[in-house]
């Protein structure tokens, strides 16, 4: 069983491996020491012949999510190593393999997600003085890309990443210090992945979106964005996520929104306060009277991404004015929305 464990560990470097053993998920070796310290649980051990005593730490299967959430919040990646064959038909020891890797940007579990906020995985790919940024929320299926160029390329990328505030930033293995600095601005977990070439990246998107052309999605002429998008999809799949719910891709331009640098966003306390980083006492907390998690996430995006087009601003204001002045319709609408679940997730 320990051979299975350390074989899984060897194929998933940088990941804490939690192996299902009976009613527990067990960590062994250095992972046990790390997990025990992070979770504040007892570190035990077991004898392993000439290898001496191997550290062990375990958490109950029925409450594993709260422990996993704590590890992910602290910046760890956790691989779940489960039985992949029926014990009744298995010859000898039941085979176990890593079936899922939980990282900050690839969570699906409700208990680990914030209802009114997205959990974004964002990839950055820069080539030929153009930066592609692709963002995916695995829990809702929202998937969007943009491509940025210009004299202040790095600064503009940093501003966009600061706006998105992804839970995890994905960069190429050979990324320069500038990209790593951008990722650090967002205070996100930083992961690396070898990007595919443009041909393979394009095919990845075509297959995922079940289409023959990217033209309808508005990104066929944005090679850096295509590669970044394939990085996001590849990383999600690599960590055990099925991508069948991702059936659309939105291409946007940062030119349509007000540019706010990271320090300005922090000072204005739009969606995150300076004291403890939560929504409390922010502009969003004053405005958010939504009755659904979907509405709360949408309002958060509106606050973080102020419009510049006068026509779009007036259209939004007219919509707000109409529902604000019609008390009966507004109450009826709110009562209807209250009973609707989180359809996106």
């Amino acid at each position: 069983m320990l051979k299975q464990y350390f074989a899984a560990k060897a194929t998933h470097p940088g990941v804490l491996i939690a192996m299902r053993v009976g009613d527990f998920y067990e960590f062994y070796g250095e992972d046990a020491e790390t997990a025990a310290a992070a979770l504040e649980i007892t570190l035990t051990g077991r004898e392993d012949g000439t290898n001496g005593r191997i550290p062990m730490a375990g958490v109950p299967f029925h409450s594993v999510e709260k422990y996993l959430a704590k590890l992910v919040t602290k910046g760890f990646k956790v691989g779940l190593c489960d039985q992949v064959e029926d014990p009744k038909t298995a010859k000898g020891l039941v085979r176990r393999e890593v079936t899922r890797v939980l990282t900050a940007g690839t969570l699906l579990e409700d208990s680990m997600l914030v209802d009114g906020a997205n959990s974004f995985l964002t990839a950055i790919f820069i080539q030929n003085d153009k930066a592609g940024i692709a963002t995916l929320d695995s829990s809702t299926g929202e998937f969007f890309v943009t491509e940025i160029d210009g004299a202040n390329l790095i600064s503009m990328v940093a501003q966009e990443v600061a706006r998105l505030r992804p839970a995890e930033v994905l960069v190429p293995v050979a990324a320069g210090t500038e990209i790593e600095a951008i990722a650090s601005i967002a205070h996100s977990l930083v992961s690396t992945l070898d990007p595919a070439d443009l041909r393979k990246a394009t095919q990845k998107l075509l297959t995922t979106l079940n289409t023959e052309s990217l033209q309808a999605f508005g990104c066929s002429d944005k090679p850096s964005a295509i590669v970044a998008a394939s990085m996001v999809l590849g990383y999600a799949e690599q960590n055990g996520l099925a991508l069948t719910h991702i059936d659309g891709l939105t291409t946007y331009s940062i030119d349509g929104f007000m540019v706010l640098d990271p320090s300005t966003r922090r000072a204005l306390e739009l969606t995150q306060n300076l004291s403890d980083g939560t929504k409390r006492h922010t502009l969003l907390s004053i405005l958010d009277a939504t009755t659904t998690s979907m509405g709360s996430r949408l309002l958060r995006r509106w606050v973080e991404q102020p419009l510049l087009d006068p026509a779009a601003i007036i259209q939004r204001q007219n919509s707000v004015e109409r529902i604000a002045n019609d008390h009966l319709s507004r109450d009826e609408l709110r009562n209807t929305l209250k009973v609707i679940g989180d359809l996106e997730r």
Side-chain angles (χ1 to χ4, degrees):
M1 189 169 65
L2 287 173
K3 284 182 179 179
Q4 286 184 343
Y5 184 87
F6 289 110
K9 181 68 181 173
T11 56
H12 293 81
V15 176
L16 298 179
I17 301 298
M19 176 180 275
R20 177 74 185 275
V21 183
D23 291 331
F24 285 81
Y25 272 103
E26 298 282 2
F27 298 90
Y28 297 100
E30 291 182 1
D31 283 7
E33 295 173 341
T34 301
L39 298 173
E40 299 177 346
I41 58 176
T42 303
L43 180 68
T44 61
R46 65 182 299 169
E47 297 301 326
D48 185 34
T50 57
N51 294 321
R53 189 171 177 81
I54 291 187
M56 284 177 55
V59 296
F61 163 74
H62 62 83
S63 58
V64 68
E65 280 196 6
K66 73 174 183 180
Y67 294 103
L68 296 177
K70 192 171 184 179
L71 288 172
V72 171
T73 300
K74 291 190 173 186
F76 294 104
K77 301 178 182 181
V78 187
L80 298 182
C81 192
D82 292 303
Q83 295 179 353
V84 292
E85 60 181 346
D86 189 343
K88 295 178 181 178
T89 59
K91 295 181 179 180
L93 187 65
V94 176
R95 186 162 53 91
R96 294 174 173 83
E97 292 179 357
V98 174
T99 56
R100 172 85 190 283
V101 177
L102 288 88
T103 72
T106 58
L107 296 176
L108 296 176
E109 292 74 13
D110 286 341
S111 62
M112 301 186 198
L113 295 167
V114 178
D115 289 340
N118 286 100
S119 179
F120 286 142
L121 169 66
T122 295
I124 305 170
F125 180 75
I126 300 178
Q127 190 175 55
N128 300 328
D129 297 323
K130 292 185 177 181
I133 301 177
T135 301
L136 172 69
D137 185 334
S138 303
S139 67
T140 65
E142 294 167 87
F143 188 27
F144 45 93
V145 297
T146 189
E147 192 170 87
I148 302 172
D149 58 12
N152 300 315
L153 182 65
I154 298 300
S155 175
M156 289 190 291
V157 172
Q159 289 168 4
E160 182 59 9
V161 172
R163 180 190 71 79
L164 291 167
R165 288 199 298 119
E168 188 171 1
V169 175
L170 191 60
V171 299
V173 173
T177 55
E178 289 178 326
I179 293 184
E180 292 177 357
I182 290 170
S184 68
I185 289 173
H187 303 289
S188 310
L189 173 68
V190 180
S191 300
T192 59
L193 184 76
D194 274 320
D197 59 43
L198 181 58
R199 184 186 63 81
K200 291 181 179 178
T202 302
Q203 188 55 53
K204 180 71 176 175
L205 261 65
L206 293 174
T207 302
T208 301
L209 299 173
N210 193 26
T211 185
E212 296 182 358
S213 171
L214 295 177
Q215 193 165 354
F217 297 99
C219 63
S220 58
D221 60 343
K222 295 176 172 53
S224 293
I226 291 173
V227 174
S230 74
M231 288 172 64
V232 163
L233 296 175
Y235 186 75
E237 277 189 332
Q238 174 183 299
N239 288 339
L241 298 187
L243 303 178
T244 52
H245 63 304
I246 300 171
D247 55 6
L249 173 65
T250 300
T251 302
Y252 70 99
S253 170
I254 63 171
D255 295 336
F257 306 101
M258 184 183 295
V259 175
L260 296 170
D261 62 75
S263 59
T264 300
R265 287 184 180 278
R266 286 195 300 273
L268 290 175
E269 296 186 297
L270 299 176
T271 60
Q272 193 174 20
N273 67 42
L274 289 171
S275 58
D276 60 7
T278 66
K279 173 183 169 183
R280 196 165 49 97
H281 305 317
T282 62
L283 174 62
L284 180 61
S285 71
I286 302 299
L287 296 177
D288 192 356
T290 58
T291 61
T292 70
S293 298
M294 297 177 288
S296 188
R297 290 194 294 269
L298 176 62
L299 184 60
R300 179 184 290 267
R301 287 198 294 275
W302 283 3
V303 171
E304 292 177 336
Q305 202 172 34
L307 296 172
L308 289 179
D309 179 17
I313 293 172
I314 291 171
Q315 182 182 37
R316 184 178 290 176
Q317 287 177 337
N318 289 341
S319 298
V320 172
E321 182 182 31
R322 180 177 177 182
I323 197 68
N325 291 336
D326 190 341
H327 300 287
L328 292 177
S329 294
R330 186 175 72 248
D331 290 343
E332 184 179 355
L333 178 59
R334 287 177 62 81
N335 289 332
T336 302
L337 288 171
K338 284 178 182 177
V339 299
I340 297 178
D342 194 338
L343 300 181
E344 291 177 329
R345 284 182 173 165

